[in-house]
Amino acid sequence: MMLSAKSLFQEIIDNDASYRLFCSIAASGETQGGWENGRIAALVPEGERALAPKIARHGADEDKHGRIFNALLNKRGLRPVRVPPETDYTMLLERHGIGLAHEKLKGDRPLTVEDIVTYLAHSRVTEQRAADQMAMLCAYFADHPEVGRAVRMISDDEDNHLAYTHEELLRLASAGHGPLIRRTLRECALAEIRVHRDVSLAVMAHMGRILGWPRARSAALAAGIHALYAYERLAGWRRMVTLTMPERRDALGGPATAAPEVA
Ligand SMILES: [Fe+2]
Ligand SMILES: [Fe+2]
């Protein structure tokens, strides 16, 4: 790519309008994730009660991330903006039938074990994406005076979420749900890489307009996003569906850690 990811994000952070859009999109996705997990925790089936506090913690962490991104906006004296629907990753996944339907989560009927498998498989895939993206931001901006602390904290949480999904899916696989888990993971990963591509293209189109990028630069970025998708479609998706026992066990065992004053 003509443009490094670091200089790209640096440019987005440095400009108020692009930073505002970036933080608004992130805050909205995190908050939706928090709501989904909160509902799932409330509807856990009898046989999986032990999972309820971990799902609730997962939701509390995502809510906290939403607050952190809003606090970052506040700190710069900015208000969140409306998130363009084509950049709404969480909503687009739901619309593609990935994860649990919001209709189901708005109801009060308990979920089934199959629904829990769906939630965990969806999380295995999306938390991989989140963990990878936060690791990338951490590599570049861990010491950034404005966003460093937030980035480090969220990155650590996303690693916990990913570890937890591995551990719980392995537990359910050994309880006989292996075939369903494999099928669901595969479906989820193949849909996620497409949604991620489309959202990336949409976000970059908005950023390009805000930052006045020349046509060649936007074209190079779009080509990079298509190349990443081609790679993920060919081979990369497999990384999102493997299950290995994590080093961090029971990563969501305790209560959520409070967000120290990031703002
Ligand atoms: Fe998050
Ligand atoms: Fe997460």
Side-chain angles (χ1 to χ4, degrees), residues 30 58 61-63 65-66 69 127 130 134 154 157-158 161:
E30 299 280 5
H58 187 190
D61 280 356
E62 305 301 4
D63 278 335
H65 300 167
F69 281 111
E127 295 297 340
M134 291 316 298
I154 296 173
D157 286 345
E158 305 302 9
H161 299 167

Side-chain angles (χ1 to χ4, degrees), residues 191-250:
E192 194 278 344
I193 60 175
R194 265 185 288 118
V195 169
H196 180 255
R197 174 199 60 191
D198 295 345
V199 166
S200 302
L201 289 169
V203 170
M204 287 309 157
H206 281 277
M207 295 302 179
R209 273 194 296 276
I210 291 172
L211 296 165
W213 289 341
R215 207 171 278 270
R217 193 169 184 192
S218 295
L221 259 169
I225 292 166
H226 284 291
L228 173 66
Y229 173 73
Y231 163 73
E232 290 192 329
R233 181 68 190 80
L234 190 70
W237 68 274
R238 291 177 198 281
R239 225 184 119 242
M240 308 179 109
V241 301
T242 54
L243 295 177
T244 19
M245 191 49 88
E247 255 166 65
R248 295 189 198 187
R249 300 284 175 90
D250 198 20

Side-chain angles (χ1 to χ4, degrees), residues 22-180:
F22 176 78
C23 290
S24 300
I25 291 172
S28 152
E30 299 280 5
T31 306
Q32 282 182 70
W35 177 82
E36 288 176 359
N37 293 347
R39 289 306 302 151
I40 295 165
L43 300 175
V44 167
E46 207 48 58
E48 290 291 332
R49 284 320 300 175
L51 209 50
K54 297 179 194 183
I55 303 174
R57 159 79 190 275
H58 187 190
D61 280 356
E62 305 301 4
D63 278 335
K64 180 183 76 182
H65 300 167
R67 290 196 304 275
I68 290 175
F69 281 111
N70 281 316
L72 288 177
L73 283 173
N74 246 320
K75 188 153 78 170
R76 208 186 273 189
L78 299 170
R79 314 276 308 149
V81 278
R82 192 185 69 89
V83 171
E86 69 277 15
T87 66
D88 195 333
Y89 172 78
T90 311
M91 189 203 71
L92 287 169
L93 283 174
E94 197 260 347
R95 198 158 290 171
H96 283 74
I98 301 307
L100 294 172
H102 283 184
E103 271 319 300
K104 191 177 266 191
L105 297 182
K106 283 178 197 153
D108 50 14
R109 298 241 316 258
L111 300 172
T112 62
V113 179
E114 287 73 22
D115 291 330
I116 295 298
V117 166
T118 299
Y119 148 70
L120 285 169
H122 168 258
S123 298
R124 158 72 184 92
V125 169
T126 55
E127 295 297 340
Q128 178 80 60
R129 182 72 71 190
D132 289 351
Q133 287 185 329
M134 291 316 298
M136 188 255 301
L137 288 178
C138 233
Y140 301 140
F141 302 112
D143 299 321
H144 189 280
E146 191 174 357
V147 303
R149 227 176 145 182
V151 159
R152 275 181 277 127
M153 176 175 218
I154 296 173
S155 178
D156 192 51
D157 286 345
E158 305 302 9
D159 290 346
N160 278 336
H161 299 167
L162 186 57
Y164 146 81
T165 63
H166 276 268
E167 186 175 351
E168 297 300 334
L169 282 169
L170 282 170
R171 179 180 62 76
L172 287 166
S174 63
H177 299 286
L180 174 65

